[in-house]
Amino acid sequence: MPVRKTKRGAERTRLDADADVLVCGASFAGLAVARELAGSGARVLIVDRYEIGERQTSACAAPTQWLTALGLDTSIRQTFDTLTIHTPHTTARMRLPWTFSTFDYRELCGLLFEQCDATFETATVEGRASQKGDLTIATDRGELRAPHVVDALGWRRVLSAAGYQPPDAPLSRGLEVHPGGSSDQLEIWIDRAYVPAGYGWSFPAGEEVRVGVGSFDPRFHVKEPTVRLANELDRDAIRYQGNWIPHRIRDATEDGVFYVGDSAGHCLPLTAEGIRTALYFGIACGRELTAAWRGEIAPEEALRRYHEFSAAHERKFRWLLRAQRAVPRINPRVLAMALDAMESRRFVRWSFNHYLDIAPPSFAAGARAPRSEPALAA
């Protein structure tokens, strides 16, 4: 687990700076935006309350093709070609048409930052100094100004006038522990004995196994079932980390600000997969910002195009949300029969490839395309 090393006390000096692009948030989405801006000539400033790679908030797994396309291979800790799904009445083993890899959070974030030519500072973003067209951002170290601002700070959507407040919000909640150990199985539990609506997981990552429980109902507390699942797997319930997870897509722009990742609800319902989508929409945002900075399009056009790009995915997110709401209502025996039927190679290939195509790795592979191409080339 990352060790906290954020500046404190006398080290937290006043920060008063201007930038061409201000990226608030230094995790997957924010770093993807800044990475895409590398070489554009824009002065990019990234700010986050934590050091880069300091605070892991997920099980840290993604389709291997995405990690490879972004040059992040060395952060990979373990790769899987089979997903095992447990229910009270069956265990289904699905041979995937593509592999899934767990990775080291600090190393991956560091690799992404190395591909940027941005400046980084630790600062807690408190909000906009004004909600009326003024892109001046208030932080605990002073005010920051930029003509282009990105909110990649997570589900709180800090720079918006209308934030979320759990549990009265479309948020799931997840908690996991990080015991040492090893396994060769990527496992999911759909079992109401652990959580009425949601799932448990065991994601091995080299010398540790990440075990957790996520609930689609934010009012259901997940610590006890997480500890219970870990104990049943003979794992120690140690090194906790958790987070709220948005499960509804939101407008990707508002009052001149770009929203990326969890701040725009770019986390897939049902699976709660948010890393791949954070990278995907971060690249898209970075491409539009690059085009705007180079004068290829007006800033207003960049905002419009990015908003439309994100909104074009709403139907797929909505279908996954419907599935998220439907699965807990299915009789467990019927669910078991359905999973047994879904083990067929043909169905797995069809369904998982469609799922991957929501945010395809080919989009990441094109991230370094010549800038003369359209900003959001297909």
Side-chain angles (χ1 to χ4, degrees):
M1 293 285 283
V3 177
R4 186 181 179 90
K5 63 177 211 174
T6 298
K7 295 175 183 175
R8 292 178 178 275
E11 292 184 325
R12 212 164 178 82
T13 56
R14 182 166 181 78
L15 179 63
D16 190 4
D18 295 315
D20 298 322
V21 180
L22 174 62
V23 179
C24 302
S27 192
F28 309 112
L31 291 170
V33 173
R35 175 187 183 274
E36 188 61 23
L37 280 156
S40 68
R43 295 174 302 150
V44 180
L45 173 61
I46 308 171
V47 295
D48 195 289
R49 66 180 297 187
Y50 300 103
E51 290 284 349
I52 292 173
E54 182 179 332
R55 186 171 181 263
Q56 179 176 326
T57 57
S58 77
C60 289
T64 310
Q65 294 173 67
W66 263 92
L67 303 178
T68 299
L70 293 176
L72 307 173
D73 307 67
T74 59
S75 69
I76 292 174
R77 291 296 175 266
Q78 208 161 338
T79 297
F80 306 89
D81 63 5
T82 302
L83 175 65
T84 301
I85 303 177
H86 305 281
T87 76
H89 302 289
T90 194
T91 291
R93 291 179 175 84
M94 299 182 178
R95 183 70 178 268
L96 304 176
W98 38 268
T99 61
F100 210 71
S101 292
T102 52
F103 59 84
D104 181 85
Y105 178 71
R106 181 184 289 278
E107 185 172 348
L108 181 137
C109 289
L111 290 169
L112 281 174
F113 186 63
E114 287 175 6
Q115 297 176 38
C116 303
D117 53 16
T119 301
F120 173 77
E121 288 284 353
T122 54
T124 300
V125 176
E126 298 171 341
R128 291 179 64 165
S130 169
Q131 291 292 337
K132 298 295 183 180
D134 180 6
L135 289 181
T136 300
I137 307 304
T139 79
D140 67 334
R141 295 180 61 192
E143 293 186 347
L144 304 173
R145 295 162 298 278
H148 305 288
V149 174
V150 177
D151 182 330
L153 291 165
W155 62 268
R156 289 181 177 84
R157 200 173 168 98
V158 175
L159 300 183
S160 172
Y164 276 167
Q165 184 59 46
D168 301 313
L171 298 167
S172 301
R173 69 191 307 164
L175 180 71
E176 70 179 10
V177 292
H178 291 236
S182 63
S183 174
D184 60 0
Q185 291 194 72
L186 190 71
E187 299 176 274
I188 296 289
W189 283 262
I190 304 176
D191 189 337
R192 293 172 190 171
Y194 294 117
V195 57
Y199 60 91
W201 65 86
S202 174
F203 284 14
E207 296 180 353
E208 71 173 14
V209 180
R210 299 159 185 170
V211 178
V213 171
S215 172
F216 300 143
D217 180 355
R219 293 173 177 80
F220 184 85
H221 294 271
V222 292
K223 182 174 181 180
E224 186 278 330
T226 297
V227 172
R228 178 155 40 97
L229 177 58
N231 289 339
E232 290 173 4
L233 296 175
D234 292 324
R235 308 289 185 190
D236 295 327
I238 58 173
R239 299 190 293 173
Y240 290 82
Q241 68 91 4
N243 200 14
W244 296 100
I245 307 161
H247 55 238
R248 182 178 296 165
I249 195 168
R250 307 181 68 182
D251 286 345
T253 61
E254 180 186 333
D255 295 331
V257 175
F258 296 82
Y259 292 86
V260 189
D262 282 3
S263 69
H266 289 152
C267 187
L268 296 173
L270 183 63
T271 63
E273 187 192 357
I275 297 169
R276 167 171 59 116
T277 47
L279 297 169
Y280 175 71
F281 287 103
I283 290 170
C285 181
R287 290 179 181 175
E288 295 299 351
L289 284 166
T290 298
W293 177 249
R294 293 189 164 179
E296 298 168 12
I297 58 175
E300 297 77 15
E301 180 73 357
L303 286 160
R304 182 189 66 79
R305 287 164 54 121
Y306 174 64
H307 170 81
E308 291 179 354
F309 177 81
S310 177
H313 295 74
E314 185 174 1
R315 182 177 60 85
K316 297 175 182 178
F317 277 70
R318 189 165 58 246
W319 273 106
L320 285 172
L321 182 58
R322 289 173 181 170
Q324 174 178 302
R325 291 168 174 167
V327 168
R329 301 189 182 104
I330 299 174
N331 180 284
R333 292 188 182 277
V334 174
L335 179 62
M337 289 188 291
L339 285 171
D340 287 340
M342 291 176 187
E343 282 187 283
S344 75
R345 183 67 175 161
R346 185 174 181 179
F347 177 83
V348 170
R349 185 184 303 110
W350 175 86
S351 59
F352 277 84
N353 281 337
H354 273 74
Y355 176 71
L356 185 65
D357 283 344
I358 296 173
S362 58
F363 193 78
R368 293 303 188 193
R371 298 300 184 180
S372 59
E373 294 184 4
L376 288 179

